[in-house]
Amino acid sequence: MSVAQQHDGRSQQSRGLSRRHFLAGISSGSLVLMGKTLTGQDAVVANAATTDAENFSPDFFVAISPNNTVTIVAHRSEMGTGIRTGLPRVVADELEADWDRVVIQQAPGDKRLGDQNTDGSNSIRFFFKRMRVAGAIARTMLEQAAAQKWGVPANECYADNHKIKHTKSDRAFDFGELVDVAKRLDVPLEENVTLKPRSKWRYIGKDAPITDLDDIVTGKATFGIDARMENQLYAVIARPPVAGGRVKSFDATDAKQIPGVVDVAEIPPFQGAPMFQPLGGIAVLADSTWAAWQGRDALKIEWDHGANASYNSDEYTKQLAATVNQPGDLLREVGDPVSVIDKTPKNQIVAADYSVPHLAHAPMETTCAVADVKTDAAGKVTSAHVVTATQNPQAVQGAVGPAMGMKPEDVLVNVTLLGSGFGRKSKPDYCVEAAMLSRQMKRPVHVTWTREDDLAHDYLHAVSAIHCEAAVDDNGKPTAWLQRVAYPSIGSTFNPLASSPATWEAEMGHSDLPFDIPNLRFETGNAKAHTRIGWLRSVCHIQQNFAVSSFADELAHNAGKDPLEFLLELLGDDRHVDLKAAKLSNRGAAPTDYPYDIGRLKNVLKRSATAANWVRRKGLPKGRGLGIACARSFLGYTGHVVEVDVAKDGALRIPKIWCSIDAGTIVSPDRVRSQIEGAAIMATTQARYGKITFTNGRVNEVNYDDYQMTTMADAPREIVVDIVNSTAPPAGVGETGVPSCAPALCNAIFAATGKRIRNLPLADHDLSWA
């Protein structure tokens, strides 16, 4: 929905009822949310209606009260990115509000707000202009209200730090003094308001603490695991150890003897594709999470493991490797690469296979939700209220609604802070579990996943194999490039017939190759899923950019050339890739706004190299090395240089990482730096240790002792972030910082030791040297 469609010239009064219902949803029910205790739904609805009638509320996202308070609605989920602060600051900037007088309210799930899926590095890209327009409309109407009260032309009035001032006198009104007049004006159309010039931005592009910082560091903030409803039970669930399995029989006698256990309930298994349905199993409900956990462990369950009981990831990885060494399905071709490769002498053919294992999201806060479902005497659901740490409240509505026999929009979903998400918390199976159990128990139920549950039953990142092959000329420059990938598709979670990478997955580092090579061919191979597959931060860029950037480095060394100079040569002249000719979707973004700009990609590559003093690489002693890589992902551009120090016994240290990022216009520089630093840590974890394996359909790694995280001892000692100053439209950041880091790390290890890493993780390799 365009901004213009939402602002159709109606007065505030004509939109009052829908906004009152919306505001009521922000804080209805009896619960603890965002550090506040809220009780009495009827009282909250009445209060919201009264408050909105008094306020100037030209838009769902902004309201101004007579007491001068500006309330801005945050409709995206806060999980460390600062988005609950960043987008409201865009509104406040355009409004010319005093940030100290702004209150942020977290929105419930509501499709009228537009996309609420805090995923895919889309929040600023999707809503930067929308927030600016919301602020500008409110500012314009306040200026019109002041003009009306003074009897002067509106163009003589301007907003400045929570006041409307008159250019030809010293007169000024506080925002609150204009509410009564402003709320009676017609809301102007988008095209009839003027946005502030970049030179006048007050908050955009400036550092600021995140809104919830004090509460977070003092333990007052409410995360999903902290959410409470009156009279709630706590549930821990025994789920089928193999995806697609089901309960054959169970004995809950011992579980019911555990002090605090109240009841035991069965959850049916999913039907058809997994989607966001619960896995099924047996839930133990108790007066505490600990009692429920102990009760769960005391259950005696006989399982039917189903069709995936034979899944062994080691064998499957070998199958994928074989698949990518056979002809696959053609995605995209330029020139005649097959013919060129066939005619090139074998000593001028370079080929390599790469692999990345299953990876887990492993957020610090496991998935959790509390639900209150009410029914009538006949058992029909009359209301459903979910409070949860979710990246996508509308997805919660879409999953819980059908499960409860309700319209999705009738499910009230309140969003807490998230203790990280990385994509896992955009998949609301755990919310459906809580709703199902609440309906059965006829009281609120809080479902908490243990760490073992989290790793054993995740929507995992796909295990993958990638084959890269190039024909090179006498100077080592590629004349043809063939690339083939195989991994189970995310689509298999929604369609059991999906058995090969989807086009949009291939566009994440595979078919969108940026190199200027005359003959290109990109293929996919079949790979059936045997567990739930889901998106993880940076998605398929993880494996595909690892392969592409590693292979480029191999080609550079094969040619005897400096890897940086070779990469720049591969990238070719500054240009815009012809997205239409390449059949690339560009993440749905208009090429005019978001061109595939090779010049910007080369720029971040060169900036990172300059920052790292790349020219010193030749003088480093054995055991020390620099590696380099670059990527365009989520419409942003990164260049990474990683420095490693590998001891003779193979012990790996990472003294420093440099990352240059071009993500267009930046709203919150400090949050960008933080996300790039976090991305480096996450990429280091995945490269060093990340590996989920299966034996007989069951996950082997079940906690942080065997699914290891990078700790302070083995993390990069220093991470230097360079943010390119840009006036381009905002692009991705959170996911953009991941793809080029791991290959730069592995390329550095090769430079230091001569050992080429083609199969992650590093923990599987002996890095020692003599």
Side-chain angles (χ1 to χ4, degrees):
M1 181 184 294
S2 71
V3 177
Q5 287 175 302
Q6 297 191 38
H7 301 285
D8 56 6
R10 294 174 293 167
S11 68
Q12 175 177 313
Q13 287 89 335
S14 70
R15 293 176 290 105
L17 181 61
S18 63
R19 180 173 171 83
R20 286 197 293 273
H21 286 169
F22 169 76
L23 288 175
I26 291 179
S27 55
S28 62
S30 174
L31 59 126
V32 177
L33 182 63
M34 293 299 184
K36 299 184 177 77
T37 301
L38 309 170
T39 59
Q41 184 167 354
D42 292 339
V44 172
V45 171
N47 181 64
T50 302
T51 301
D52 195 52
E54 295 174 350
N55 288 349
F56 165 47
S57 309
D59 186 278
F60 275 128
F61 289 102
V62 61
I64 303 171
S65 71
N67 70 8
N68 233 12
T69 299
V70 172
T71 299
I72 300 175
V73 169
H75 72 306
R76 311 291 277 190
S77 298
E78 180 57 71
M79 50 189 168
T81 64
I83 200 62
R84 203 172 106 85
T85 304
L87 282 177
R89 280 177 68 82
V90 175
V91 179
D93 196 324
E94 203 61 60
L95 176 58
E96 271 290 323
D98 178 354
W99 185 246
D100 289 338
R101 288 186 272 186
V102 171
V103 173
I104 298 174
Q105 283 188 320
Q106 187 67 38
D110 194 314
K111 63 183 180 182
R112 291 172 294 178
L113 295 172
D115 186 289
Q116 284 183 272
N117 186 15
T118 312
D119 214 329
S121 290
N122 289 323
S123 293
I124 299 294
R125 176 167 81 91
F126 282 178
F127 288 98
F128 181 67
K129 185 177 181 182
R130 173 70 178 89
M131 295 300 108
R132 293 189 69 193
V133 170
I137 284 175
R139 168 174 48 80
T140 299
M141 295 177 72
L142 290 171
E143 291 167 348
Q144 292 172 346
Q148 189 177 113
K149 291 188 73 169
W150 285 327
V152 300
N155 62 10
E156 293 183 6
C157 303
Y158 68 98
D160 179 33
N161 199 28
H162 230 80
K163 293 180 181 292
I164 302 297
K165 298 180 177 180
H166 184 223
T167 58
K168 297 184 178 181
S169 70
D170 293 331
R171 289 179 291 181
F173 285 119
D174 286 334
F175 282 179
E177 297 178 273
L178 298 169
V179 164
D180 191 55
V181 174
K183 68 185 182 183
R184 288 173 171 77
L185 300 175
D186 287 342
V187 179
L189 297 174
E190 176 183 348
E191 54 265 31
N192 294 332
V193 298
T194 302
L195 300 178
K196 289 168 60 176
R198 186 176 291 258
S199 61
K200 298 291 185 181
W201 285 351
R202 181 185 295 271
Y203 306 126
I204 299 170
K206 311 294 194 303
D207 288 339
I210 62 172
T211 299
D212 304 289
L213 182 62
D214 288 347
D215 284 348
I216 289 172
V217 299
T218 57
K220 298 174 184 176
T222 300
F223 292 81
I225 207 161
D226 304 313
R228 300 288 182 266
M229 290 187 182
E230 187 178 345
N231 196 37
Q232 75 174 35
L233 289 171
Y234 299 80
V236 176
I237 303 168
R239 299 172 184 82
V242 178
R246 62 186 61 233
V247 176
K248 289 179 69 175
S249 64
F250 72 97
D251 180 354
T253 304
D254 292 345
K256 291 180 178 180
Q257 301 305 310
I258 301 293
V261 169
V262 175
D263 208 342
V264 174
E266 184 168 1
I267 298 175
F270 64 81
Q271 301 295 318
M275 301 176 66
F276 300 143
Q277 302 176 79
L279 288 166
I282 307 299
V284 176
L285 300 107
D287 59 13
S288 71
T289 298
W290 178 246
W293 191 345
Q294 298 303 297
R296 191 273 302 270
D297 290 351
L299 291 168
K300 296 181 176 65
I301 305 175
E302 184 181 1
W303 300 100
D304 175 355
H305 295 306
N308 293 319
S310 62
Y311 180 42
N312 292 288
S313 54
D314 286 349
E315 289 301 317
Y316 188 78
T317 300
K318 294 175 183 176
Q319 293 171 18
L320 292 180
T323 297
V324 296
N325 278 280
Q326 299 295 325
D329 297 323
L330 178 63
L331 271 180
R332 176 188 168 210
E333 188 171 49
V334 176
D336 190 3
V338 174
S339 176
V340 171
I341 290 173
D342 286 344
K343 294 176 181 177
T344 299
K346 287 188 177 181
N347 65 350
Q348 291 180 231
I349 300 294
V350 182
D353 290 350
Y354 304 88
S355 69
V356 175
H358 283 298
L359 299 170
H361 296 83
M364 185 59 69
E365 176 197 40
T366 58
T367 47
C368 48
V370 57
D372 184 15
V373 175
K374 290 182 167 53
T375 61
D376 59 20
K380 181 180 178 181
V381 173
T382 57
S383 68
H385 182 196
V386 181
V387 182
T388 183
T390 179
Q391 293 176 239
N392 190 356
Q394 289 181 36
V396 177
Q397 292 178 304
V400 171
M404 297 295 103
M406 304 173 66
K407 293 179 181 178
E409 59 266 28
D410 291 337
V411 179
L412 174 59
V413 180
N414 287 116
V415 182
T416 66
L417 297 176
L418 285 68
S420 69
F422 310 124
R424 174 60 181 98
K425 291 174 184 171
S426 56
K427 309 168 184 71
D429 55 325
Y430 56 100
C431 300
V432 183
E433 290 176 334
M436 285 181 165
L437 292 172
S438 176
R439 181 174 59 184
Q440 290 187 58
M441 296 296 108
K442 301 187 185 305
R443 58 192 286 192
V445 173
H446 193 298
V447 168
T448 297
W449 286 43
T450 67
R451 177 62 58 203
E452 290 80 3
D453 296 336
D454 172 58
L455 290 174
H457 305 297
D458 196 4
Y459 288 81
L460 294 170
H461 178 75
V463 57
S464 59
I466 303 98
H467 173 78
C468 298
E469 187 172 346
V472 299
D473 61 20
D474 292 340
N475 295 314
K477 184 177 180 180
T479 56
W481 183 300
L482 182 151
Q483 191 163 286
R484 198 176 290 128
V485 300
Y487 47 86
S489 173
I490 291 169
S492 64
T493 293
F494 305 94
N495 177 4
L497 299 179
S499 59
S500 63
T503 301
W504 65 268
E505 291 172 303
E507 289 182 18
M508 294 183 173
H510 177 49
S511 59
D512 60 342
L513 192 78
F515 301 147
D516 187 13
I517 299 171
N519 300 284
L520 300 167
R521 184 178 176 91
F522 305 98
E523 300 175 5
T524 61
N526 287 339
K528 179 178 172 56
H530 296 285
T531 189
R532 299 193 299 182
I533 302 298
W535 48 95
L536 168 67
R537 185 182 189 179
S538 90
V539 203
C540 301
H541 286 287
I542 293 173
Q543 67 266 28
Q544 290 169 170
N545 281 102
F546 168 65
V548 165
S549 294
S550 297
F551 191 56
D553 196 72
E554 292 204 41
L555 291 174
H557 286 279
N558 177 75
K561 293 184 178 180
D562 178 281
L564 169 62
E565 296 304 321
F566 190 81
L567 264 178
L568 291 171
E569 186 179 353
L570 279 179
L571 289 166
D573 295 335
D574 292 357
R575 67 192 187 284
H576 289 178
V577 172
D578 189 334
L579 293 164
K580 184 175 182 180
K583 299 179 181 178
L584 299 175
S585 67
N586 205 39
R587 295 189 58 77
T592 50
D593 295 329
Y594 293 93
Y596 193 159
D597 191 333
I598 299 301
R600 291 172 73 184
L601 183 57
K602 290 166 61 180
N603 182 50
V604 292
L605 183 67
K606 290 186 284 189
R607 287 173 71 114
S608 63
T610 299
N613 191 17
W614 177 261
V615 295
R616 66 189 169 92
R617 60 177 289 274
K618 290 183 179 180
L620 295 175
K622 187 168 184 181
R624 291 183 59 193
L626 294 175
I628 194 165
C630 63
R632 179 190 191 250
S633 64
F634 297 88
L635 307 176
Y637 304 82
T638 55
H640 271 90
V641 174
V642 177
E643 182 172 1
V644 300
D645 185 346
V646 185
K648 286 188 175 182
D649 64 1
L652 171 65
R653 290 180 61 256
I654 306 173
K656 208 164 185 177
I657 290 179
W658 296 263
C659 178
S660 179
I661 179 168
D662 182 348
T665 297
I666 300 298
V667 170
S668 306
D670 179 65
R671 289 295 90 199
V672 172
R673 286 188 290 270
S674 177
Q675 289 186 73
I676 297 304
E677 290 166 352
I681 298 295
M682 189 169 194
T684 299
T685 286
Q686 292 170 351
R688 294 188 74 143
Y689 308 116
K691 187 176 186 179
I692 292 288
T693 63
F694 286 78
T695 302
N696 297 328
R698 298 177 184 232
V699 170
N700 296 311
E701 295 75 21
V702 295
N703 211 314
Y704 285 148
D705 57 343
D706 48 15
Y707 190 73
Q708 192 172 340
M709 299 287 112
T710 291
T711 63
M712 291 183 71
D714 51 13
R717 309 307 291 175
E718 185 178 357
I719 302 168
V720 179
V721 181
D722 165 49
I723 303 172
V724 175
N725 185 25
S726 173
T727 59
V733 171
E735 311 209 42
T736 305
V738 174
S740 53
C741 188
L745 169 60
C746 293
N747 292 341
I749 290 171
F750 178 80
T753 68
K755 294 193 172 185
R756 178 64 66 182
I757 306 300
R758 294 174 176 166
N759 307 297
L760 293 178
L762 295 170
D764 288 350
H765 298 271
D766 177 6
L767 301 182
S768 63
W769 55 273

